[in-house]
Amino acid sequence: MITKRAFLGMGLASLATPAIAQSGFQLDPRFEPRVVPLRYPFEAGQIIVVPTAHYLYLVQPDRTALRYGVGVGKAGLEFKGNATIKRKAVWPSWRPTDEMIERDPRSYAKYADGVPGGPDNPLGARALYLYQGNVDTYFRIHGTTQPWSIGRSVSNGCIRMINEHVVDLYERVPTGTLVTVL
């Protein structure tokens, strides 16, 4: 008999296989999605991000969590604290922040007018927009066109996921979800 944990683990792992394999990229197995036990009591449905470990946890009601590997912000650019998902988008458009353009105009000035949603968009297949109160933090949990960045601290602060993984997370969490970045 297959347990709930085994079923979820197999289902999540299979999500990553087709598209990643087609791109020739091989995700480090430790960053594959899996169900893990929780040591600390968090609210079911809450998202916990541990940037130093490069993991995002979606807390389940049975003291387990769905764990996904993530890429996070470079030193000095990372988000820490609590936020709420106030908006979700499928194939979101993207525009670098003014701060990104100022820090690295050679890389970002050409995108100042924005990039429409689609497979080549840096936000990938889905985006979850993080707010504090009614103020947009400009930090996102989103897909990526750079799957090799999973397990690294390379972004301008956002939390990156393999596209197939962020699609799975997107379907599981509603707006209003609490996100804690430790």
Side-chain angles (χ1 to χ4, degrees):
M1 179 173 179
I2 296 176
T3 66
K4 174 184 168 190
R5 180 174 294 172
F7 176 77
L8 286 171
M10 289 185 301
L12 286 172
S14 69
L15 283 173
T17 306
I20 292 172
Q22 290 173 3
S23 72
F25 171 75
Q26 183 65 38
L27 183 65
D28 185 322
R30 68 185 165 165
F31 297 119
E32 294 283 349
R34 65 186 47 146
V35 177
V36 297
L38 281 179
R39 291 187 225 173
Y40 305 103
F42 292 104
E43 290 272 328
Q46 182 178 359
I47 293 174
I48 307 295
V49 181
V50 183
T52 56
H54 298 97
Y55 290 124
L56 178 151
Y57 299 85
L58 175 58
V59 179
Q60 302 298 291
D62 61 356
R63 290 192 54 101
T64 65
L66 301 177
R67 185 183 77 187
Y68 304 85
V70 295
V72 297
K74 300 174 199 170
L77 299 178
E78 65 274 81
F79 175 83
K80 289 186 180 183
N82 293 317
T84 303
I85 296 170
K86 291 270 185 151
R87 185 164 88 86
K88 296 169 43 171
V90 174
W91 294 110
S93 60
W94 173 76
R95 181 195 177 280
T97 64
D98 292 340
E99 291 80 12
M100 289 170 67
I101 295 170
E102 186 177 311
R103 263 192 315 272
D104 190 354
R106 190 167 45 184
S107 294
Y108 297 112
K110 60 188 167 196
Y111 302 116
D113 292 331
V115 178
D120 296 325
N121 184 298
L123 291 186
R126 304 289 184 273
L128 307 168
Y129 295 74
L130 304 182
Y131 282 70
Q132 291 180 319
N134 289 322
V135 178
D136 187 349
T137 65
Y138 293 98
F139 290 97
R140 317 282 184 244
I141 298 170
H142 64 80
T144 184
T145 56
Q146 301 173 329
W148 56 89
S149 67
I150 303 306
R152 297 178 165 191
S153 301
V154 296
S155 78
N156 279 286
C158 289
I159 299 154
R160 298 177 177 186
M161 300 178 74
I162 296 291
N163 276 327
E164 291 82 359
H165 301 172
V166 78
V167 168
D168 181 68
L169 181 67
Y170 180 97
E171 295 299 325
R172 292 176 184 275
V173 299
T175 56
T177 297
L178 176 62
V179 177
T180 301
V181 182
L182 304 175

